[in-house]
């Protein structure tokens, strides 16, 4: 069965109608990512790949599930389908390479953020740390840090990040120790990536960076979307004004991984 890379994503809109994953929106809107289907103009099955995220919709198609994993990623990808049939086939195809995990969708709401509360969170961060927007120097440092590189890894250069992305970091003596950034971007919003270097966790740094990023997004008319990797991330989101929506199943597929790859939430 032939698989095609789709450049005109208008033909995918019907199959993907109602999908609330912003990374799918990023691809459909032409911001980033790649789309594949079984037919260019009348698809029955669709695959969207954006960064380490892969989403399937339509009729279950094993060829799409096997499509381009080694070329599109560094050996790690998070796969999920629109229903249990897709997820069952993903698990069947990848077997022991597929780790079943639960992720937590956060409601996409407008007007729920308390700006005064967010400002206080930032102000209450320990004064030994500096918080700032990601500039060229920060970008260059980030790209040398395995734990932090996904703050900017979906952008080909600093210029592209500066033009499309947005991020905040916390520094200690010039060293980046925490941050929150746009893992991906879509029309009128971003998907938040957040992480802290392991030796600096539980100090409120991720909370402060996220609060600052949310305020920066709102000031630019962007929505800061949050998708949680674990219940700790849900709790962090709720401190910032978000509300839990629903659980969903994903599969973390590892073909080859030089270090424990993290997904796009702390």
């Amino acid at each position: 069965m032939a698989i095609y890379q789709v450049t005109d994503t208008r033909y995918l809109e019907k199959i993907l109608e109602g999908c609330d994953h912003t990374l799918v929106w990023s691809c459909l809107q032409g911001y980033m990512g790649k789309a594949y289907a079984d037919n260019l103009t009348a698809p029955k099955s669709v695959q969207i790949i954006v960064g380490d995220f892969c989403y399937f919709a339509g009729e279950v198609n094993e060829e799409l599930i096997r499509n381009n994993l080694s070329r599109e990623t560094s050996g790690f990808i998070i796969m999920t389908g629109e229903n249990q049939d897709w997820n069952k086939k993903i698990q069947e195809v990848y077997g022991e390479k597929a780790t079943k995990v639960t992720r937590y969708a956060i409601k996409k709401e407008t007007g729920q953020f308390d700006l005064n509360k967010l400002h206080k969170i930032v102000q209450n961060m320990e004064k030994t740390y500096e918080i700032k927007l990601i500039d060229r120097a920060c970008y260059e440092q980030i790209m040398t840090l395995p734990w932090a590189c996904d703050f900017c890894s979906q952008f080909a250069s600093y210029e592209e990040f500066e033009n499309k992305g947005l991020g905040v970091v916390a520094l200690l003596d010039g060293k980046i120790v925490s941050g929150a950034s746009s893992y991906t971007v879509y029309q009128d919003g971003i998907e938040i990536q957040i992480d802290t270097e392991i030796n600096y966790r539980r100090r409120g740094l991720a909370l402060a960076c996220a609060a600052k990023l949310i305020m920066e997004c709102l000031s630019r008319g962007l929505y800061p979307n949050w998708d949680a990797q674990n219940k700790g991330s849900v709790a962090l989101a709720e401190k910032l004004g978000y509300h839990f929506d629903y659980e969903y199943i994903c599969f973390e597929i590892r073909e080859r991984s030089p270090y424990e790859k993290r997904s796009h939430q702390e």
Side-chain angles (χ1 to χ4, degrees), residues 68-109:
N68 282 328
L69 178 61
S70 62
R71 294 212 309 257
E72 296 292 338
T73 76
S74 59
F76 172 89
I77 198 163
I78 302 169
M79 289 186 169
T80 191
E82 67 173 351
N83 54 43
Q84 293 182 358
D85 292 337
W86 275 106
N87 290 336
K88 181 179 179 181
K89 180 60 70 172
I90 291 169
Q91 192 166 35
E92 177 185 314
V93 168
Y94 288 100
E96 293 182 355
K97 294 179 180 178
T99 301
K100 185 177 181 180
V101 298
T102 300
R103 291 188 66 93
Y104 304 87
I106 304 300
K107 289 182 179 179
K108 297 172 177 63
E109 303 172 294

Side-chain angles (χ1 to χ4, degrees), residues 1-256:
M1 180 182 296
I3 299 298
Y4 303 92
Q5 183 173 345
V6 180
T7 55
D8 189 343
T9 58
R10 292 177 298 173
Y11 294 104
L12 308 182
E13 291 175 356
K14 184 175 181 179
I15 290 181
L16 293 167
E17 185 178 5
C19 176
D20 65 351
H21 291 290
T22 68
L23 286 86
V24 172
W25 301 353
S26 295
C27 186
L28 289 181
Q29 296 168 0
Y31 284 86
M32 51 182 54
K34 295 181 179 180
Y36 298 89
D38 59 333
N39 188 286
L40 289 174
T41 58
K44 295 181 179 178
S45 307
V46 175
Q47 175 190 39
I48 302 293
I49 300 176
V50 182
D52 294 327
F53 179 86
C54 179
Y55 181 81
F56 300 99
E59 296 181 3
V60 175
N61 184 313
E62 184 172 335
E63 293 302 313
L64 278 179
I65 291 174
R66 295 182 181 277
N67 180 51
N68 282 328
L69 178 61
S70 62
R71 294 212 309 257
E72 296 292 338
T73 76
S74 59
F76 172 89
I77 198 163
I78 302 169
M79 289 186 169
T80 191
E82 67 173 351
N83 54 43
Q84 293 182 358
D85 292 337
W86 275 106
N87 290 336
K88 181 179 179 181
K89 180 60 70 172
I90 291 169
Q91 192 166 35
E92 177 185 314
V93 168
Y94 288 100
E96 293 182 355
K97 294 179 180 178
T99 301
K100 185 177 181 180
V101 298
T102 300
R103 291 188 66 93
Y104 304 87
I106 304 300
K107 289 182 179 179
K108 297 172 177 63
E109 303 172 294
T110 58
Q112 84 273 30
F113 297 110
D114 183 336
L115 293 178
N116 289 329
K117 180 180 179 180
L118 295 175
H119 181 72
K120 288 179 180 178
I121 289 173
V122 176
Q123 291 299 108
N124 289 338
M125 187 180 71
E126 292 181 36
K127 302 308 178 186
T128 52
Y129 299 95
E130 176 189 6
I131 191 165
K132 63 182 294 186
L133 293 175
I134 295 174
D135 57 14
R136 183 181 294 275
C138 291
Y139 175 91
E140 292 175 354
Q141 184 180 161
I142 284 167
M143 298 311 292
T144 69
L145 302 172
W147 69 267
C149 63
D150 275 348
F151 291 155
C152 303
S153 63
Q154 302 310 313
F155 303 89
S157 64
Y158 172 70
E159 287 72 22
E160 183 178 6
F161 178 83
E162 183 182 34
N163 182 45
K164 297 180 180 179
L166 180 64
V168 173
V169 289
L171 301 99
L172 179 63
D173 299 326
K175 174 188 175 183
I176 295 172
V177 294
S178 185
S181 185
S182 50
Y183 180 72
T184 55
V185 297
Y186 61 97
Q187 184 178 333
D188 300 326
I190 70 168
E191 183 74 26
I192 292 178
Q193 162 77 19
I194 185 169
D195 207 345
T196 300
E197 202 277 324
I198 192 169
N199 295 318
Y200 296 90
R201 292 177 183 169
R202 302 192 181 282
R203 303 186 189 187
L205 299 177
L207 183 67
C209 288
K212 179 66 172 176
L213 179 59
I214 291 168
M215 289 191 292
E216 291 292 337
C217 284
L218 297 179
S219 71
R220 291 165 166 78
L222 300 173
Y223 184 77
N225 192 67
W226 188 290
D227 186 83
Q229 181 186 12
N230 51 50
K231 290 184 178 180
S233 181
V234 175
L236 185 63
E238 290 174 341
K239 290 179 181 178
L240 295 160
Y242 293 97
H243 299 98
F244 170 73
D245 195 358
Y246 62 90
E247 298 180 0
Y248 66 100
I249 297 300
C250 292
F251 294 89
E252 295 182 350
I253 316 290
R254 286 177 173 83
E255 295 282 357
R256 55 190 186 281

